[in-house]
Each structure stands twice: as structure tokens, then as C-alpha cells.
Amino acid sequence: MKLYGITGWKNAGKTGLMERLVAEFTARGHAVSTLKHAHHSFDVDHPGRDSHRHREAGAQQVLLSSGTRWALMSELRGAPEPPMEELLAKLAPVDLVLVEGWKRDSHPKVEAWRPEPGNPLIAPGDPTIRAVAAGGPVEVTDRPVFDLNDTAAIADFIAGEVGL
């Protein structure tokens, strides 16, 4: 599987770019999966539901299935968060996996950046960032710079990088 990341600071436009890239690559006929890193606690289950009750009772894993989708929830129960490679191994094969977050991992990335939050560019100090998708003028970078909303150009760049 080909792997490419979208990274950046909070409120930089990562999720919107991810959403547009998934739509763009699937429109081009590619099978795409995503991997999203959350820095906060999250839950895909709801209190009172049978699957939530199974987890609360102590189940390590709960697989929930219907005619529409299935989901496997794994409780870490104090164990360390699995590394990205271990999580990727759980995905079915696709043409491209787009990764949101994991800014310190070694996979190639496009940095989403907007001037409004006032955060500096990550790219100058990080060789894994191959390009910047900017929502405003970028003063200094030695990487290609794309308009944050030019999804087709960013997708072309990523496709060229991974050989799609």
C-alpha cells in the first residue's frame, strides 16, 4: 500500500484537505483508506448500547457488525498506543492510505498551513514534509507550495510521489 500523510497544527485545514483528497482520489478510481490520529480520548460507541456494555464489562475487543458496516473496537486498558505500522497492518489492502496526524513519524507528508492561528511552518525543520498546502502567503520554504484549496494539484503531487 502507498502511504502519504497530511500534517499541520490544529486549525490548519488538515481534515478538510483529507476529505477533499479522499474524494479526489476515489473519483480517479483509486481505493483509499484513512488513518487519523487523535490527541484526545474518543469513542465510537454509545453508553447503553449492547456493544458499549460489553466493553464496560471488560471485553478487550468488541466487533460490531450490520448489513451496512462493521467496526472492531479494541480497548488498550493501560497498554501503550500501538505504533502506526501496527495499525496500518490492520487495514485491508488499498491503493493509497492517507494519514492525518502523526507529524513526527517518518512517512512523507504535505503540511496544511494557515497564517491565522499564528503557528510557524513545520516544513523548514522536517525533511519528511515534501510540500506545503497553504491558506495564505508562505514566506520561506524550500518545498513546493500549493494553494490549500487546489485539491487536484495536491493530489497530482501526491500521486507523483507515490507512483499512482
Side-chain angles (χ1 to χ4, degrees):
M1 289 189 293
K2 312 291 186 184
L3 175 72
Y4 219 89
I6 303 300
T7 195
W9 301 109
K10 183 178 180 178
N11 296 321
K14 297 180 303 292
T15 301
L17 179 56
M18 284 280 291
E19 182 179 12
R20 294 188 311 273
L21 285 170
V22 169
E24 179 72 23
F25 279 113
T26 56
R28 294 179 184 196
H30 298 293
V32 179
S33 288
T34 65
L35 192 58
K36 162 76 172 117
H37 190 262
H39 290 285
H40 50 81
S41 179
F42 68 93
D43 203 339
V44 296
D45 209 356
H46 303 285
R49 296 293 197 187
D50 294 350
S51 54
H52 188 269
R53 292 171 60 191
H54 297 179
R55 285 178 38 225
E56 290 296 308
Q60 288 292 117
Q61 290 187 307
V62 176
L63 196 146
L64 181 60
S65 181
S66 74
T68 309
R69 71 187 53 86
W70 66 270
L72 176 62
M73 294 173 280
S74 297
E75 291 294 317
L76 294 177
R77 305 233 185 262
E81 181 180 357
M84 186 172 60
E85 295 75 24
E86 188 177 319
L87 297 170
L88 287 168
K90 296 178 185 304
L91 294 177
V94 292
D95 300 320
L96 177 64
V97 176
L98 291 171
V99 176
E100 182 177 344
W102 276 282
K103 73 171 58 93
R104 288 168 182 58
D105 276 69
S106 62
H107 59 284
K109 304 169 196 76
V110 168
E111 178 180 357
W113 181 83
R114 287 185 176 137
E116 294 83 33
N119 293 313
L121 278 173
I122 300 167
D126 187 342
T128 68
I129 296 176
R130 306 282 172 81
V132 175
V138 174
E139 291 184 23
V140 179
T141 184
D142 58 349
R143 319 294 154 77
V145 176
F146 299 96
D147 183 294
L148 182 60
N149 295 311
D150 192 350
T151 307
I154 298 166
D156 289 343
F157 176 79
I158 292 171
E161 287 268 294
V162 300
L164 281 181

